[in-house]
Amino acid sequence: MSLSNFECPAARALDSVGDWWSILILRDALQGLTRFDQFQESLGVAPNILSRRLGHLTEHGLFERHPYSRRPTRYEYLLTAKGRDFYPVAIALFAWGNRHLPDDEVAMRLGDRVTGRVRSVILVDANTGEEISPANTTLLPGPAAGEVTRKRIAFMKALREQTHEQPD
């Protein structure tokens, strides 16, 4: 069963992205790579896997394929708006990965393009600027939520409320 059959947006997103190769392809595309040979050189991935992953990402609307050479026909893969919207996800994964490595194992950091200063990543609410955390954020049913999703959200809310009532 496809994850896109679930109502959970995280499950649907994972179905679109596919696997870890896809995330690395998107990471490289967000840094400007567009051509098959560029992705292959950067990632060291087998051509058949790269071809499948690029096809999947194109099918799911993260890339558009455009010819850049007629003889032989070769394509570049350009990020769509949906693909570019993956940027905060990639950055969050990158920052999370670095945060849980010993300092001497950090091979890359996020930095300001102009100043080179190291960037620190947090997730904030675009409306208020407030940092988003598990302590101040919950799941709410959306307009398309079915009964199963509504029950799951109610169950999680009840568990949270029960946990807060328990003495430490």
Side-chain angles (χ1 to χ4, degrees):
M1 175 189 292
S2 171
L3 291 176
S4 63
N5 293 332
F6 292 104
E7 291 180 352
C8 176
R12 296 177 77 128
L14 287 170
D15 193 40
S16 290
V17 173
D19 65 8
W20 68 282
W21 279 120
S22 295
I23 293 171
L24 297 177
I25 291 166
L26 287 164
R27 175 206 63 193
D28 285 358
L30 289 161
Q31 292 297 306
L33 277 61
T34 61
R35 296 183 178 179
F36 189 95
D37 58 328
Q38 293 172 334
F39 291 119
Q40 191 172 22
E41 183 177 338
S42 173
L43 298 169
V45 60
N48 62 327
I49 293 172
L50 180 56
S51 182
R52 255 194 326 267
R53 298 319 313 149
L54 286 169
H56 179 87
L57 292 166
T58 301
E59 179 182 318
H60 283 266
L62 289 107
F63 282 117
E64 289 180 347
R65 196 171 86 144
H66 296 278
Y68 70 88
S69 172
R70 297 281 181 215
R71 284 204 158 131
T73 303
R74 295 186 189 267
Y75 296 93
E76 61 183 350
Y77 295 84
L78 303 176
L79 288 165
T80 62
K82 182 178 179 179
R84 288 187 300 276
D85 280 349
F86 190 77
Y87 187 75
V89 178
I91 293 303
L93 283 169
F94 190 97
W96 179 79
N98 269 351
R99 192 169 24 256
H100 295 283
L101 282 175
D103 285 342
D104 62 342
E105 292 183 25
V106 173
M108 290 186 274
R109 298 187 189 279
L110 298 170
D112 182 279
R113 281 188 190 250
V114 175
T115 66
R117 273 190 299 245
V118 173
R119 293 214 185 258
S120 296
V121 178
I122 61 168
L123 188 60
V124 298
D125 181 301
N127 295 315
T128 65
E130 180 182 15
E131 183 175 354
I132 295 174
S133 73
N136 68 9
T137 305
T138 190
L139 298 176
L140 302 172
E147 190 60 29
V148 171
T149 297
R150 291 180 185 284
K151 283 182 179 179
R152 182 181 304 120
I153 291 172
F155 172 73
M156 289 186 281
K157 180 180 179 186
L159 281 177
R160 276 193 319 275
E161 289 171 354
Q162 184 181 38
T163 304
H164 290 297
E165 292 174 4
Q166 300 294 325
D168 291 333

